[in-house]
Amino acid sequence: MSEPSASSSTPASLPTASSSSEKPVVIITIGMAGSGKTTFVQRMNSHLHSLAPSKPPYILNLDPAVVGTPFDANIDIRDTVNYKEVMKQYSLGPNGGILTALNLFTTKLDQVLGLVEKRADTLDHVILDTPGQIEIFTWSASGAIITDAVASTFPTVVAYVIDTPRTVAPATFMSNMLYACSILYKTKLPFILVFNKIDAQPHEFALEWMHDFEAFQAALAGDGGVRDAEGEPTYMNSLMNSMSLVLDEFYKHLKVRAHRSLSLSLSLRPPPFFFFL
Ligand SMILES: Nc1nc2c(ncn2[C@@H]2O[C@H](COP(=O)(O)OP(=O)(O)OP(=O)(O)O)[C@@H](O)[C@H]2O)c(=O)[nH]1
Ligand SMILES: [Mg+2]
């Protein structure tokens, strides 16, 4: 992976505290396994370092199972708990091990927040990278405790990273959006959808589906399985059509960005970030 130049990789306007006296903004990076969360954090880190003057973020790695991170985390869950030891000690599988590691880390959250608060005056951004298995963070008690504690201490936004190439099928797109929607309603925090990997799959189809639910319904119809043997609309098709109307309301209140976390040296694509809303 080659390091991008600042001009071609600029996250044009990362959420930021409006004045230096304000608290730093916390960006919680969430997304399906392999969607590019860690690479996205690395790109934000690299962008913030490249600013003049440089504004290094404070990074927390909350993924106990990651082997190596492409950034130097200021606080790393792996320094506190070894999830493989946790698996052995409590006879757990990998997900149970990761979840228990996160629970153990959460017992030290007050110390973690204390460390961040000590640095708050000098920081504009605090970035959290979360475990690969999305539900470990979003549907666990410790994930909720971490999110609530952070959000009650600092201005906080959720960056929901979407693997664009994996959402080209209408049904997959919808399930990813429903997941995003559920996290928005659960956390009630400002929410940014980050369409990642646009070097591999341009994101325009997603923007069209979000702007125009009829376009999404047409894509669904073109995807087959619309009618059953008797010519009646299938249950799945009716469900997805209704869901697309529900999601239409969700889309109206979102900020959406396209992103290319990975810089391909031969890529001629335009700058990876832009404002949609
Ligand atoms: N083509 C392309 N690949 C990317 C991009 N961003 C990330 N990747 C690749 O996607 C894979 C997963 O990236 P990660 O950053 O590890 O994703 P993650 O969401 O942190 O993964 P887990 O934490 O394991 O769930 C890696 O092979 C990355 O190189 C991108 O913008 N474009
Ligand atoms: Mg990761």
Side-chain angles (χ1 to χ4, degrees):
M1 187 192 314
S2 61
E3 199 60 30
S5 72
S7 61
S8 70
S9 66
T10 305
S13 42
L14 284 172
T16 183
S18 56
S19 89
S20 56
S21 62
E22 283 182 19
K23 290 183 168 186
V25 170
V26 178
I27 303 168
I28 304 180
T29 313
I30 295 177
M32 297 289 178
S35 55
K37 300 176 288 296
T38 302
T39 317
F40 177 63
V41 170
Q42 182 265 324
R43 287 299 300 271
M44 285 194 283
N45 182 40
S46 124
H47 165 68
L48 292 166
H49 271 91
S50 72
L51 296 177
S54 161
K55 293 187 173 173
Y58 198 85
I59 303 185
L60 276 73
N61 171 42
L62 300 183
D63 185 355
V66 71
V67 176
T69 53
F71 45 76
D72 287 329
N74 299 79
I75 295 177
D76 196 320
I77 186 172
R78 294 173 303 163
D79 297 335
T80 317
V81 258
N82 178 337
Y83 97 101
K84 289 206 168 144
E85 279 306 314
V86 170
M87 278 170 68
K88 272 193 210 147
Q89 208 173 325
Y90 298 95
S91 306
L92 297 168
N95 287 336
I98 297 170
L99 181 59
T100 307
L102 195 65
N103 289 343
L104 292 171
F105 179 81
T106 307
T107 62
K108 304 209 181 299
L109 191 59
D110 56 330
Q111 292 170 38
V112 172
L113 287 178
L115 289 171
V116 181
E117 276 187 308
K118 263 192 209 151
R119 293 277 314 276
D121 288 349
T122 60
L123 293 170
D124 279 356
H125 301 94
V126 177
I127 306 176
L128 270 62
D129 190 11
T130 59
Q133 288 77 0
I134 188 169
E135 65 279 13
I136 286 179
F137 191 78
T138 53
W139 296 109
S140 66
S142 46
I145 291 169
I146 294 171
T147 306
D148 290 350
V150 166
S152 59
T153 315
F154 302 106
T156 302
V157 301
V158 172
Y160 185 86
V161 180
I162 295 167
D163 189 329
T164 313
R166 292 195 57 86
T167 53
V168 288
T172 322
F173 179 82
M174 170 156 286
S175 57
N176 210 342
M177 290 301 132
L178 285 173
Y179 212 101
C181 183
S182 69
I183 295 172
L184 170 72
Y185 292 134
K186 191 165 187 286
T187 61
K188 300 188 184 69
L189 288 173
F191 205 84
I192 304 171
L193 287 184
V194 180
F195 280 93
N196 196 24
K197 308 192 185 181
I198 60 164
D199 53 292
Q201 168 63 52
H203 55 285
E204 281 76 11
F205 76 92
L207 299 188
E208 192 193 1
W209 289 351
M210 293 171 77
H211 263 143
D212 178 0
F213 73 89
E214 285 178 354
F216 178 74
Q217 291 183 337
L220 265 181
D223 208 33
V226 181
R227 308 241 161 218
D228 61 19
E230 280 89 48
E232 294 295 316
T234 58
Y235 172 72
M236 191 64 181
N237 186 54
S238 313
L239 177 70
M240 292 217 279
N241 275 332
S242 326
M243 285 296 189
S244 64
L245 294 174
V246 175
L247 284 173
D248 203 42
E249 193 57 32
F250 164 65
Y251 298 148
K252 280 186 193 145
H253 304 287
L254 283 182
K255 279 205 162 87
V256 181
R257 284 165 165 256
H259 189 254
R260 177 166 51 94
S261 286
L262 194 66
S263 172
L264 301 176
S265 49
L266 291 177
S267 171
L268 297 174
R269 294 201 61 78
F273 259 89
F274 71 96
F275 252 130
F276 170 58
L277 291 172

